[in-house]
Amino acid sequence: MTTRLRLWMVPLVGLLLATPAGSDAFDLFRNQEATIATIHAAFSAKTLTCRALVQMYIDRIEAYDKKGPALNAIVVVNPDALKVADALDAKFAQSGPAGPLHCVPLIVKDNYETTDMPTSAGSLSLKGVMSKTDAFQIKKLREAGAIMLAKSNMAEFAFDPMETVNSLLPGYTRNPYALDRVTAGSSGGTAAAVAASFGAAGLGTDTGNSIRGPSSHTSLVGIRSTMGLTSRDGIVPLFLDKDIGGPMARTVADAVAIFDVIAGYDPADPVTAASQGKRADSYLKSLDRDGVRGMRLGVVRQLFTPANTDPDVMKRMEQALADLRRLGAQIVDPVTVAEIDTIPPGMLFCFRFKFDINDYLPRLAPAAQVKSLEDIIKSGKFHPSIEKRLLDRQAEPPLTENPRCAQVAQNTQRMREAVEKVMDDNTLDALVYPTWAFPPRMIGDLNTPHGNNSPRLSPPTGFPAITVPMGFVRDDLPVGLQVLGRAWSEPILIKIVYGYEQATAHRRPPTSTPPLPARP
């Protein structure tokens, strides 16, 4: 066994041990939601091939994305997916797995550069643009043996946290748990696709909400890392100082398996230099079923007051706190971060899209016909819902001359210090609150309360946050629990969410996309 093989086999063994063994991994995968561990167990038992796995996911996309429930989650399926699967099967037969994510088919948000599928960020202005290089995270995942199965729908240029609609793909992405409901945004396509088992797991991006919100709305786990722990290279920017790319998965173990591959230093993204010496040797080591025990958790009730929270979501949150106590956590309830009430949420974000997209677009030359935000606006190739935002962003003054952005910088520093102080004063390991204080809205409804808590603490502070399924309201509408910690505290957060997930087992698959009959 080579040194390289030994290095990744250790965490892989931990991942397998973290998942209950089934009598037949292939049957498990056919009849319920497959995990990375059960897929790999089936490969080892020779009851499953990579080609058969990829074909099953392609069949599900064919049956459910534009037909049947018509989730409208997929932009394009990788035309090379089966060819890559055959190569991985040959590699497995000859010398074993290609890496820790051997033949893990992933759903990739349409703002990640991939050399085998277009990168359009949901916009007709970038339709068909092929990148010459993979985004850093995509490169790391391929090296680990994963397959980029499909590109997923998104809110155009990732602007909208509330719904997933754009100019590239007609119509909204539908929530597989309630087809008349949204998946939130902007990574709603990844969320719907992963929830409906169109792939083993997926990638989203999060500037304010967009990994954690869609994950909450579709009963998934979503990880937003510490700023600087994951590379942004090769991801179409929204606000580069807040953008994060990361995993969305049906289980904590699967999300962490992906996170373990993508986290770390990238010379092409200077912000990741801070991760050197901070990255854990293995995040999979934090998959501890007893991980909640002894943790001190602060309850941020400012983010879910009775006046601003759906009563059923409030019940789920109170039950989550009871469950965390039962699992051995010490609950400090409440803790107060004064800045949550004194700093307007909008004043924690600098609207720097024009400058970030103008710096980015030359990377896509000569394939991209647009070379600036001005070109995008002149093209008219964008959804009407974002026209005002595009025009407003084009009118922004240079960052160094923008008093609003200067104030935002001060506000984010205040928020960071305030959160650290509250955690230090109360000796807390993490803060907890509902990811959204209301369940998923009806498609087209932008007037009822939204309840989006994700932009309030994590992007402004740069601290990590993970959402994990907290159950359902109205029988079938998912809600999520968010756990936030200090910078570089991902191992602690993983212990908390894994222990909670294993004890509560809230996730269940949507009924709109049942198992397909086995192929002959």
Side-chain angles (χ1 to χ4, degrees):
M1 184 180 292
T2 67
T3 301
R4 177 176 175 271
L5 189 61
R6 283 195 298 269
L7 284 174
W8 63 255
M9 279 297 290
V10 172
L12 179 58
V13 169
L15 178 60
L16 288 165
L17 292 175
T19 303
S23 58
D24 187 328
F26 185 67
D27 284 346
L28 277 174
F29 142 78
R30 282 286 180 189
N31 297 308
Q32 65 183 56
E33 299 178 311
T35 65
I36 294 173
T38 56
I39 288 169
H40 283 170
F43 290 154
S44 296
K46 295 184 169 54
T47 57
L48 179 65
T49 64
C50 185
R51 170 174 267 271
L53 177 70
V54 170
Q55 186 64 61
M56 187 212 69
Y57 286 131
I58 292 174
D59 289 347
R60 289 184 62 81
I61 293 169
E62 173 65 21
Y64 296 135
D65 191 58
K66 300 299 185 285
K67 302 174 185 175
L71 298 185
N72 204 32
I74 300 299
V75 175
V76 62
V77 174
N78 190 339
D80 295 331
L82 288 172
K83 183 172 69 175
V84 175
D86 288 342
L88 286 169
D89 279 333
K91 167 72 173 66
F92 190 87
Q94 181 180 15
S95 56
L101 298 179
H102 177 85
C103 189
V104 174
L106 297 178
I107 306 296
V108 180
K109 189 176 180 178
D110 191 26
N111 56 354
Y112 281 80
E113 290 182 34
T114 54
T115 55
D116 45 10
M117 291 176 283
T119 301
S120 63
S123 182
L124 276 174
S125 67
L126 291 175
K127 182 179 180 179
V129 172
M130 296 295 296
S131 174
K132 298 184 291 290
T133 58
D134 282 329
F136 178 82
Q137 292 189 25
I138 301 296
K139 178 183 177 184
K140 297 292 287 185
L141 291 163
R142 291 196 206 271
E143 290 172 351
I147 296 177
M148 306 308 120
L149 178 62
K151 282 289 188 76
S152 56
N153 201 23
M154 60 179 283
E156 192 158 354
F157 290 114
F159 270 123
D160 202 326
M162 306 301 174
E163 56 189 4
T164 300
V165 64
N166 59 50
S167 62
L168 185 74
L169 198 64
Y172 293 82
T173 294
R174 300 173 183 271
N175 192 317
Y177 288 93
L179 299 176
D180 57 354
R181 302 272 174 166
V182 299
T183 52
S186 61
S187 308
T190 300
V194 174
S197 292
F198 289 177
L203 291 175
T205 62
D206 188 313
T207 304
N209 153 85
S210 298
I211 287 174
R212 293 159 296 149
S215 294
S216 175
H217 274 16
T218 54
S219 197
L220 298 178
V221 177
I223 301 177
R224 179 187 166 93
S225 73
T226 303
M227 176 58 75
L229 186 52
T230 49
S231 172
R232 304 159 301 171
D233 180 63
I235 299 175
V236 182
L238 177 56
F239 305 149
L240 197 58
D241 63 329
K242 300 290 196 297
D243 294 344
I244 291 283
M248 302 166 68
R250 293 183 293 270
T251 68
V252 173
D254 285 359
V256 173
I258 295 165
F259 185 71
D260 202 49
V261 168
I262 64 175
Y265 174 60
D266 172 16
D269 186 356
V271 75
T272 62
S275 71
Q276 297 182 93
K278 301 290 188 180
R279 189 211 188 280
D281 62 339
S282 170
Y283 291 99
L284 289 164
K285 291 180 180 178
S286 296
L287 296 174
D288 180 358
R289 289 176 182 273
D290 198 31
V292 175
R293 187 169 304 282
M295 296 291 182
R296 283 179 58 84
L297 307 178
V299 183
V300 189
R301 289 195 176 268
Q302 293 158 284
L303 299 180
F304 59 108
T305 66
N308 296 301
T309 303
D310 179 89
D312 290 337
V313 175
M314 184 70 81
K315 290 176 185 176
R316 296 284 77 74
M317 184 64 197
E318 297 300 345
Q319 182 60 54
L321 294 175
D323 289 336
L324 290 165
R325 287 190 185 92
R326 174 176 58 83
L327 294 170
Q330 301 176 49
I331 305 296
V332 181
D333 187 3
V335 297
T336 300
V337 181
E339 282 70 11
I340 291 175
D341 298 323
T342 60
I343 301 175
M347 288 303 296
L348 291 165
F349 292 84
C350 170
F351 299 145
R352 50 183 292 157
F353 176 69
K354 175 174 72 172
F355 309 101
D356 292 335
I357 198 70
N358 286 354
D359 286 344
Y360 171 82
L361 286 172
R363 178 186 177 107
L364 300 180
Q369 298 300 304
V370 291
K371 298 176 175 59
S372 67
L373 176 54
E374 183 178 10
D375 287 347
I376 294 170
I377 294 169
K378 286 180 178 178
S379 77
K381 295 179 179 179
F382 51 82
H383 195 274
S385 64
I386 69 166
E387 181 174 15
K388 185 178 187 304
R389 271 176 275 203
L390 294 179
L391 293 172
D392 288 347
R393 298 296 79 80
Q394 179 62 16
E396 293 283 346
L399 294 176
T400 55
E401 301 171 17
N402 190 327
R404 184 182 186 282
C405 288
Q407 184 60 57
V408 165
Q410 295 178 27
N411 291 346
T412 53
Q413 180 64 26
R414 283 175 55 203
M415 183 66 77
R416 187 179 304 115
E417 292 172 354
V419 170
E420 286 180 330
K421 186 175 189 306
V422 163
M423 295 187 71
D424 289 346
D425 289 350
N426 293 278
T427 322
L428 299 176
D429 294 292
L431 302 177
V432 295
Y433 44 92
T435 307
W436 283 63
F438 284 84
R441 282 168 159 174
M442 300 285 286
I443 288 174
D445 174 15
L446 294 177
N447 296 315
T448 58
H450 57 79
N452 179 12
N453 283 324
S454 289
R456 303 300 298 274
L457 294 179
S458 181
T461 59
F463 296 166
I466 303 177
T467 186
V468 63
M470 189 170 68
F472 295 81
V473 299
R474 326 276 207 274
D475 296 327
D476 56 6
L477 301 179
V479 292
L481 171 69
Q482 191 155 161
V483 185
L484 176 139
R486 297 175 178 83
W488 319 110
S489 67
E490 282 83 356
I492 292 172
L493 301 187
I494 291 166
K495 285 184 178 181
I496 295 167
V497 296
Y498 184 72
Y500 174 77
E501 172 204 52
Q502 293 297 296
T504 56
H506 283 305
R507 176 165 173 84
R508 61 175 185 255
T511 58
S512 68
T513 54
L516 295 174
R519 280 180 166 242

